Amino acid sequence: MSQQSKRRWPYPEVVAHRGGGTLAPENTIAGFREGVRHGYRAAECDVKLSADNVCFLLHDDTVDRTCNGKGLAAGMFMAELSRLDAGAWKGAAFAGEALPTLANVAAYCLAQGMSLNLEIKPCPRREEETGRLVAQEAAKLWAGAAVPPLLSSFEIDALRAAKAAEPALPRAFLCEEIPADWRAILEELDCVALHCDHKTLTEPLARAIKAAGYQLLCYTVNDAADARRLLDWGVDSLCTDRLDLLPAR
Ligand code: G3P
Ligand code: MG
């Protein structure tokens, strides 16, 4: 069993997906505010690097879907990204909402006592440096915090780099479908947890992962019956878009 997996799991049973789920523009401070309003004590968000290596929140490779601009995020400096409106696409009430830096998010969440799952979501071909820089920045921003941010990624190279840079920060291997060699991956990356798409999880697999000493988080659980079933299987945390449907706990 890995060293990290023996640690406690300080993350709540429900985690708001992309900040505030679908109730606010994703990966914005308005989203985190929505989480706080619903009593949520944890959120997941997607972190990548600007062209000048600032860690900031965005899900896609481009700004097109969620901002009033166009282009690849990897080619844009943070000053340029900061001028974009990342809220108006979700409704006039959110107009003027900015793309937050990781530092903005840390300040807000630490002040609110909200814990975070930082999904390292590198721009293409920036996997290693994104893993390293997000881990280093997170370690600085959360230094001395009661609950460290949980770093997860679909990208094994990003998690490897995060582990090399800041081995003490907890890590989770994120996958859509759990691969046959999950034990070897979790062991190599010294992860505390496995995060997977709830649609691909089976009860025997959930029980095997728990029996191996790892924590289990499922995304994106937007149905109360699914939530109950997964918790019955031993899943530790559920990442959801529906803060209005799954009560904070
Ligand atoms: O971290 C869980 C989930 O956020 C992964 O999928 O595409 O919403 O980032 P995605
Ligand atoms: Mg994500």
Side-chain angles (χ1 to χ4, degrees):
M1 189 188 297
S2 81
Q3 287 310 302
Q4 283 219 351
S5 62
K6 292 175 189 149
R7 293 186 188 165
R8 71 200 169 100
W9 177 254
Y11 308 101
E13 223 167 66
V14 287
V15 177
H17 185 221
R18 302 187 192 177
T22 44
L23 305 180
E26 65 189 51
N27 290 310
T28 65
I29 298 294
F32 293 103
R33 272 200 297 270
E34 198 62 28
V36 169
R37 203 167 73 76
H38 281 83
Y40 270 52
R41 294 180 296 109
E44 180 264 4
C45 59
D46 305 297
V47 190
K48 50 172 49 69
L49 296 177
S50 64
D52 49 343
N53 286 345
V54 178
C55 302
F56 77 104
L57 268 52
L58 184 72
H59 180 275
D60 300 355
D61 290 341
T62 73
V63 299
D64 302 19
R65 180 177 59 87
T66 56
C67 298
N68 64 340
K70 277 202 178 311
L72 289 168
M76 298 168 87
F77 286 80
M78 195 63 223
E80 191 182 349
L81 290 162
S82 301
R83 285 194 291 272
L84 295 173
D85 185 321
W89 70 280
K90 197 73 186 170
F94 297 110
E97 196 64 35
L99 285 174
T101 62
L102 185 56
N104 299 147
V105 172
Y108 182 80
C109 291
L110 285 166
Q112 296 293 334
M114 177 167 277
S115 57
L116 269 192
N117 169 202
L118 297 179
E119 185 196 330
I120 305 169
K121 190 82 114 181
C123 296
R125 296 174 299 284
R126 299 204 71 190
E127 290 80 6
E128 188 279 331
E129 61 192 330
T130 308
R132 174 168 47 84
L133 294 175
V134 169
Q136 287 172 344
E137 175 88 342
K140 266 191 235 138
L141 292 168
W142 273 268
V147 177
L150 172 63
L151 306 180
S152 63
S153 190
F154 287 110
E155 304 297 336
I156 286 184
D157 287 345
L159 286 175
R160 247 182 221 133
K163 179 187 170 194
E166 298 292 343
L169 283 182
R171 288 171 298 283
F173 171 56
L174 172 60
C175 52
E176 215 169 288
E177 192 156 1
I178 299 170
D181 58 347
W182 60 268
R183 282 173 201 270
I185 295 171
L186 293 172
E187 190 72 31
E188 188 224 309
L189 298 170
D190 194 13
C191 288
V192 292
L194 187 146
H195 294 186
C196 69
D197 185 334
H198 77 95
K199 295 192 189 95
T200 70
L201 188 66
T202 61
E203 182 171 8
L205 204 41
R207 301 231 179 258
I209 292 162
K210 292 302 300 173
Y214 296 102
Q215 318 296 335
L216 195 47
L217 176 148
C218 285
Y219 70 92
T220 309
V221 184
N222 293 332
D223 177 273
D226 284 338
R228 272 193 302 277
R229 177 176 48 79
L230 292 162
L231 293 172
D232 282 351
W233 290 356
V235 173
D236 298 277
S237 295
L238 310 170
C239 190
T240 184
D241 283 328
R242 295 297 306 273
L243 285 55
D244 53 333
L245 193 72
L246 298 191
R249 51 181 175 246

